Amino acid sequence: MIQIRNVKQQEYSTSQQEIKSNNTKLIFNLIRDHMPISRVELSKLCSLSVSSVSNLVDDLLKKQWIIETELVAASPRGRKSILLEVNNKFGCVATVELLGRSFICTIYDICLKKIIGTRIRNTDYGANAIAETIRGLLRSAKLPLNTLMGIHLIFPGVVDSVSGSLLFSQFFSVEDSLDRHLVISLARQFPQNTHIMISTNGSIIAFQSFLANKWAARLPLLSINIDEAIFAGVVLSSNDNKKNFCFPVEIGHSVVDYHGKLCRCGNHGCAETLLNTLSLFRNLNEKAGMDLEYSEHFGSDCNVESIKKIALALEAENKKVISVLEEYAHILCSVLRSTVDLLSIRSIRIGGDIALLGEKFLTTLKNCFSTYFHPLNNADQVQIELYVSDYEDVRKAATIMCLDDIFSK
Ligand SMILES: [Zn+2]
């Protein structure tokens, strides 16, 4: 999990062991991103000496995380060079996205290549159902259980940062009899060395933005996903710009209208009750005469289809639809504005189903932000963009987080 608690640890720790494991992690990730690659090229990329890189590489070779390949250059002398690659046979990681009454389980090798995946619907998911699904997928892919290095559970809600127990989610009611200690229950079903972790969608979305940007976006960056719920995370950089940190921010439950609708969290008028896509569908059906089909279940296919219909109505300049979207943009901007001021945000990336509304919606949002909401700092310099994220990218980010965690153990 990436949390503020961990930011402190990363900033102030000076233990040799931690420096070594951070550098090993860095080298491994660079090899995966640039393979095949030589030791010299690696040292240029990470600003470590060739001898330090060689030591770290030797360690990774010994543990079989990576392998050497020999390439013969096409030059007249045919010089040979030894290059490094990640050993994709070394192991795999399972990601499990917990959705309303269903879950998606996907298995990746350590090169981030998807091996196999499935979606289990209409289930009261507990540790048994998840463990059985993972074991079944491993069997189908002919992978022995001991190649499973880790499981990363992705929870659409709030998790206790110390114990990892599930605290709250918009998508689970009492009847769902959610196992609050899912991580511990699942750990009982797998060998002791399987690394089992849980993160909220917000953490992973921030981490995925961080990976996608590769230090390019202006930081701090607020990454916010809006679909049946709101998940957000922030990417910050240290004062010397050498380190970047990601952590979830709970902005969906900021109260924006205390006379508003009761939210599942117990408060009235949370931003989420006004801004989730379900609320948008309801408003468009009532106020713009649309006939959008939608489901309360997180990750339902019909909700994506309905968003696409709204995008078409916007393209066709449907006035009633535009007016509902303008009202929506106003509430969204008020939430964005307070976060921008709180954390000196310089770029905002909006993903999730809402990003499918496209350029017309982005223009409405930008106009609203610049006309009615003036942040106290960098007033005109906040970049806003829509980001149609691929769920595959989110799962890959979750896999990298799990591998990074295994390196840090
Ligand atoms: Zn709430």
Side-chain angles (χ1 to χ4, degrees), residues 21 42 49 68 71 113 131 148 162 176 195-196 204 223 234 263 286 294 299 301 306 312-313 344 360 367 388:
S21 76
L42 268 178
S49 70
E68 283 183 327
L71 276 198
K113 188 165 165 267
L148 180 69
V162 179
D176 289 326
H195 182 70
I196 300 178
I204 300 177
S223 187
V234 165
C263 174
E286 280 169 22
Y294 58 91
D301 297 335
S306 291
L312 290 177
S344 301
K360 284 250 156 71
N367 287 344
V388 180

Side-chain angles (χ1 to χ4, degrees), residues 32 68 118 122 148 150 195 203 216 269 281 329 351 362 364 380 401 403:
R32 190 189 52 229
E68 283 183 327
T118 187
N122 300 321
L148 180 69
H195 182 70
S203 316
F281 298 146
L362 181 61
T364 306
D380 304 315
M401 282 170 87
L403 289 172

Side-chain angles (χ1 to χ4, degrees), residues 168 170 252-253 263-267 270 272-273:
F168 165 77
Q170 183 85 344
H253 296 279
C263 174
R264 274 204 192 175
C265 75
N267 293 311
C270 287
E272 186 158 297
T273 61

Side-chain angles (χ1 to χ4, degrees), residues 175-402:
E175 309 87 71
D176 289 326
S177 58
L178 187 66
D179 177 359
R180 298 205 175 275
H181 306 287
L182 192 57
V183 177
I184 296 169
S185 309
L186 201 58
R188 291 199 187 105
Q189 311 237 11
F190 287 92
Q192 219 178 359
N193 59 351
T194 314
H195 182 70
I196 300 178
M197 61 187 286
I198 188 161
S199 300
T200 62
N201 291 41
S203 316
I204 300 177
I205 285 158
F207 186 66
Q208 194 232 331
S209 281
F210 160 67
L211 294 175
N213 277 293
K214 294 279 179 199
W215 293 270
R218 294 196 308 194
L219 300 181
L221 161 76
L222 169 68
S223 187
I224 170 168
N225 260 42
I226 305 175
D227 19 59
E228 297 86 351
I230 295 180
F231 301 106
V234 165
V235 186
L236 288 178
S237 66
S238 58
N239 287 340
D240 59 5
N241 288 322
K242 283 189 177 163
K243 289 178 188 165
N244 293 276
F245 307 108
C246 316
F247 57 90
V249 285
E250 189 50 72
I251 61 178
H253 296 279
S254 324
V255 174
V256 290
D257 174 13
Y258 64 90
H259 293 302
K261 209 180 140 197
L262 179 67
C263 174
R264 274 204 192 175
C265 75
N267 293 311
H268 282 266
C270 287
E272 186 158 297
T273 61
L274 298 165
L275 293 174
N276 66 20
T277 47
L278 304 176
S279 165
L280 181 63
F281 298 146
R282 255 191 308 270
N283 274 338
L284 284 163
N285 284 353
E286 280 169 22
K287 298 178 185 167
M290 288 191 83
D291 185 22
L292 301 166
E293 190 194 338
Y294 58 91
S295 157
E296 301 276 334
H297 288 315
F298 184 55
S300 295
D301 297 335
C302 64
N303 295 346
V304 178
E305 291 312 310
S306 291
I307 283 284
K308 289 179 183 164
K309 282 184 192 157
I310 303 170
L312 290 177
L314 276 178
E315 274 303 314
E317 311 265 349
N318 181 319
K319 287 209 167 57
K320 283 182 179 167
V321 171
I322 291 172
S323 149
V324 170
L325 260 303
E326 278 172 353
E327 202 182 316
Y328 179 91
H330 208 98
I331 303 168
L332 177 55
C333 286
S334 72
V335 174
L336 295 178
R337 150 77 206 257
S338 39
T339 315
V340 164
D341 282 340
L342 194 64
L343 295 164
S344 301
I345 296 295
R346 297 182 71 199
S347 10
I348 300 172
R349 169 176 276 199
I350 301 170
D353 290 352
I354 208 83
L356 296 170
L357 290 179
E359 282 303 310
K360 284 250 156 71
F361 174 65
L362 181 61
T363 309
T364 306
L365 202 61
K366 281 180 173 172
N367 287 344
C368 180
F369 199 79
S370 61
T371 312
Y372 301 107
F373 297 89
H374 305 290
L376 299 178
N377 44 7
N378 300 323
D380 304 315
Q381 294 175 21
V382 181
Q383 287 174 339
I384 305 180
E385 61 173 7
L386 295 183
Y387 177 63
V388 180
S389 56
D390 186 343
Y391 283 98
E392 200 62 27
D393 291 339
V394 175
R395 290 174 200 134
K396 282 182 184 172
T399 305
I400 296 174
M401 282 170 87
C402 189

